[in-house]
Amino acid sequence: MRKKKLLSVICAVTLSMSLTGCGFMEMMGDMAGFSNKWVDSDLIGAVPADKEFSEKNDFAATVNKEWKNEIGDAYKGTFQEVLDAVTENKKRIVTDESIEGETAECLRTYYALASNWDDRAEDGVEPLRSYTKDIESISSMDEMYDFIADPTRNPLFLGPITTSSSFVMHSEKYSENYTLLFSIPGFTVGNLDSSSSLESYEKTSDKSKYILGKLGYSEEEADTQVANAAAFAKKLASYENMATLEKIDDITYPREEVVKMAGDFPMEKILNGWGLSNAPYIAISPDLTKKLSSVCKEKNLEKIKSFLIVNYCLTASEYLDRETYDEMKELDKPRLKEAEDTGETPEQLENYLMFEQYIGQTPMVGAMNQVYVENCFDESVIDELTTITEDMLAGFEDIFENEQWLSEEGKKACIEKLKAINIHIAVQDFDTVDYGKLNLKSHEEGGSFLEAYFDSLRFEMNHLAWLSGESYDRDYWDPLNQNLSTTVTNAMYSAQTNGIYIFAGILEAPVYSKDMTYEEKLGGLFTVVGHEITHGFDSNGAQYDKDGYNEPILSEDDLKKFNDKNQLVGAYYTTQSPFTGAGMILGPQVAAEATADMGGIKATLHLAEKQKDFDYDLYFRSFATIWRTNVSVESEKKSIQSDPHPLAFYRINVGLQQFEEFYETYGIKEGDGMYLAPERRINVW
């Protein structure tokens, strides 16, 4: 099942079947919980034009009423609108031949190969065949090692171990350099006694056999390949133990030591073949390392070959013809329950496939990031964004200094970490990658989409080889890091780098525009930025120090006090039920994100205090605007069950009712729907 790369800080808008019409309001009934009586204004049809709402009683419904009635039963939300705008920008830059430069040309060639389904149908599975036949021809372990170590023959960099740019780590033990994480790849076999693991294995098996059949394997031959692959995967899994990743130091060793630990397994040959001759440190399970030579024996050669063939089939299946792609999606549907209809249009699904999967989740993400920033981002806003973020960080210093539940040592540690936070605005370190070296062939030149993808993996490994030999730089923003892609509609805090990142993909109205007022900017983008900064000091973020190492900055007593207050947030949410039949909110599930929401509001209100004639009404309305959404009952129920963020209308109403400025702005008093007695307010910071 695909994963949407949307905001980590927001509730993703899920498009599914709607429920509208007369009697909708009657179905919703009264909200259970405190004296507040709020309609679930996230839902389609929940805020009818002929019903009166007021800021004092239901702020979310009041502010977003006009917008919801304008869009009717359309599935929308502010962040979906921003995402749509970003997608339109992406569609333009991958086809606009007037955009000059080798990176833009490379991106256009790649996109053309990806989006031309006729050419992909003409190629069918043939681009894969040369790789599987090469693996089939291997007749000894020495030949196997030659294959594994050769990027031309093995562009997936597959063997009993693998790595990628997503596995670049940083160890406190060896702090001056980057560490490469190696793990077992691809095809895995879990505990087949569990229904979920069995279903996953069955899906993987069926998908593998489908591709093998298209390559000409008989049913019996395909069964044998999958059985052998599973057998070898099980051998690897029995040695793998990554539990110690919580502290990367526990599994990080100098390169020479890893080579020695691997015994007869030619670790050095493979590292050198992959271009990693300058990688000084490697993170790998010592149990796995020591067992490699015993697993990779001649007696297991056929199983290893099958393991590689099946992994190549599974990976390539996403990059072949449409028939194959659609069959993979069909085989990937749930076996034990009915598949959910997300309601997304064919165009939205295709956009996701092209830009989020084929580009955003591959090494081509760096090319998209660079061309997007150069053509769709106004660099003149960097100074303003940096200044306001710096002001917010200074504001957090005041907040920590005056926080009564924090010990003096805790205040000092938080402020020390706060002052070390690096600010990153949209522009990555593009000068460290050169897509001009990625010479992709168009279909007319004999290229294929699968080969273009493989070429991008070779390009990624070359980049990784360079990075592994560099001195560690906490401020470095790698354009190939798929977890920090600047074209994502997001802002985020990274505990590992102690950095706040404002991505180019979120810098669209109504979240942010340079033409907005200061109040709108604070209520919009910067409540999100403040939310993310707050994560650096919650129960998870506090486990990392100012340099990004896994070293707690707060004492057990301070953490207990924080968790006690955070539990009050969860307890408050547990009393809420948005509509009849929804069930109650799982408070502990949403407590961390709800706390961060309130941290973002607190930080921006702290800046508002310093402004003469600050328009609080405009600020609060801007905050309510960014969280407006229009979804179905089914979608809302799904969010209640699984989303770690509060429902959007709760983010607005619960978030704002914690702050005195909100009460003063609208004259809210006891008895009003938005009123919450001071002693019952739950803001942690």
Side-chain angles (χ1 to χ4, degrees), residues 637-676:
K637 286 182 177 179
K638 182 179 178 182
S639 293
I640 292 169
Q641 294 166 0
S642 60
D643 200 309
H645 305 86
L647 299 179
F649 83 99
Y650 281 142
R651 301 185 86 155
I652 300 167
N653 286 352
V654 174
L656 296 182
Q657 70 172 176
Q658 311 306 318
F659 298 94
E660 191 60 34
E661 293 92 335
F662 181 68
Y663 291 81
E664 293 172 357
T665 300
Y666 300 105
I668 297 169
K669 295 182 171 50
E670 188 173 359
D672 293 331
M674 291 300 300
Y675 181 81
L676 186 63

Side-chain angles (χ1 to χ4, degrees), residues 490-510:
N490 200 354
M492 70 169 287
Y493 169 81
S494 168
Q496 286 71 32
T497 65
N498 193 25
I500 182 70
Y501 297 81
I502 301 177
F503 300 145
I506 199 174
L507 299 176
E508 297 278 348

Side-chain angles (χ1 to χ4, degrees), residues 584-639:
M584 300 186 85
I585 300 296
L586 300 175
Q589 175 179 294
V590 302
E593 296 298 333
T595 295
D597 278 348
M598 291 180 270
I601 298 169
K602 174 109 175 188
T604 46
L605 285 175
H606 190 78
L607 294 187
E609 292 176 3
K610 304 177 184 299
Q611 299 296 313
K612 184 179 179 180
D613 300 323
F614 186 84
D615 189 337
Y616 283 94
D617 176 60
L618 190 55
Y619 164 86
F620 290 126
R621 288 178 181 276
S622 178
F623 180 75
T625 296
I626 68 168
W627 296 115
R628 67 189 182 190
T629 190
N630 210 43
V631 298
S632 72
V633 169
E634 290 83 358
S635 176
E636 197 80 330
K637 286 182 177 179
K638 182 179 178 182
S639 293

Side-chain angles (χ1 to χ4, degrees), residues 5-9 82 86 369 372-373 377 381 385 424-428 477-478 481-494 499-508 511-512 525 528-529 532:
K5 281 195 168 183
L6 241 175
L7 277 176
S8 61
V9 66
V82 171
V86 171
N369 289 344
Y372 189 97
V373 166
F377 171 67
V381 305
L385 294 171
H424 306 268
I425 311 291
V427 182
Q428 299 171 287
W477 189 0
D478 190 352
N481 187 329
Q482 296 163 30
N483 298 318
L484 291 173
S485 170
T486 193
T487 53
V488 173
T489 301
N490 200 354
M492 70 169 287
Y493 169 81
S494 168
I500 182 70
Y501 297 81
I502 301 177
F503 300 145
I506 199 174
L507 299 176
E508 297 278 348
V511 176
Y512 173 83
L525 173 67
V528 175
V529 173
E532 291 301 325

Side-chain angles (χ1 to χ4, degrees), residues 4-70:
K4 270 200 169 186
K5 281 195 168 183
L6 241 175
L7 277 176
S8 61
V9 66
I10 68 170
C11 293
V13 177
T14 305
L15 304 176
S16 59
M17 296 182 64
S18 66
L19 179 58
T20 58
C22 301
F24 179 82
M25 295 298 296
E26 289 77 3
M27 182 279 293
M28 289 187 62
D30 291 333
M31 187 192 90
F34 296 99
S35 59
N36 328 24
K37 301 276 186 184
W38 301 327
V39 67
D40 184 347
S41 52
D42 299 345
L43 299 179
I44 293 170
V47 192
D50 59 357
K51 184 174 176 62
E52 290 297 321
F53 296 91
S54 72
E55 291 89 346
K56 293 183 178 183
N57 289 308
D58 191 336
F59 193 73
T62 304
V63 173
N64 294 324
K65 176 181 175 180
E66 182 178 351
W67 173 81
K68 287 184 73 74
N69 280 280
E70 283 179 0

Side-chain angles (χ1 to χ4, degrees), residues 199-260:
E199 180 180 348
S200 176
Y201 173 74
E202 288 175 346
K203 288 179 183 179
T204 301
S205 176
D206 289 348
K207 289 191 287 185
S208 304
K209 291 174 184 177
Y210 177 84
I211 302 297
L212 289 167
K214 295 196 75 168
L215 286 168
Y217 288 78
S218 69
E219 186 175 338
E220 182 179 356
E221 290 169 336
D223 287 341
T224 299
Q225 291 290 341
V226 172
N228 281 342
F232 188 70
K234 201 165 186 178
K235 286 180 179 292
L236 290 176
S238 68
Y239 299 133
E240 181 71 315
N241 177 16
M242 302 307 292
T244 50
L245 262 184
E246 196 170 274
K247 293 218 37 145
I248 193 69
D249 284 356
D250 294 343
I251 58 169
T252 298
Y253 308 91
R255 170 196 173 98
E256 295 77 11
E257 187 172 344
V258 173
V259 170
K260 184 177 180 181

Side-chain angles (χ1 to χ4, degrees), residues 117 120 124-129 131-132 155-156 158 207 211 215 308-322 324-325 328 357-358 449-451 453-454 457:
W117 289 104
R120 290 172 65 176
V125 297
E126 292 311 305
L128 172 62
R129 191 181 301 279
Y131 293 95
T132 57
L156 292 184
L158 275 175
K207 289 191 287 185
I211 302 297
L215 286 168
L308 296 179
I309 288 171
V310 166
N311 272 293
Y312 264 88
C313 287
L314 289 170
T315 300
S317 66
E318 302 286 341
Y319 301 89
L320 300 172
D321 56 284
R322 186 79 205 210
T324 299
Y325 178 83
M328 294 299 102
Q357 184 171 330
Y358 285 158
F449 181 42
L450 179 64
E451 196 58 49
Y453 171 65
F454 284 167
L457 296 179

Side-chain angles (χ1 to χ4, degrees), residues 533-585:
I533 293 172
T534 305
H535 276 313
F537 304 90
D538 61 19
S539 56
N540 178 64
Q543 300 302 313
Y544 294 84
D545 67 12
K546 66 183 179 63
D547 297 313
Y549 297 122
N550 188 198
E551 297 290 342
I553 63 169
L554 296 180
S555 67
E556 290 185 9
D557 186 54
D558 278 339
L559 279 175
K560 182 181 183 303
K561 291 176 182 177
F562 174 87
N563 289 329
D564 287 346
K565 293 180 75 67
N566 203 55
Q567 285 174 10
L568 292 177
V569 177
Y572 182 98
Y573 269 96
T574 297
T575 68
Q576 308 299 307
S577 182
F579 56 87
T580 300
M584 300 186 85
I585 300 296

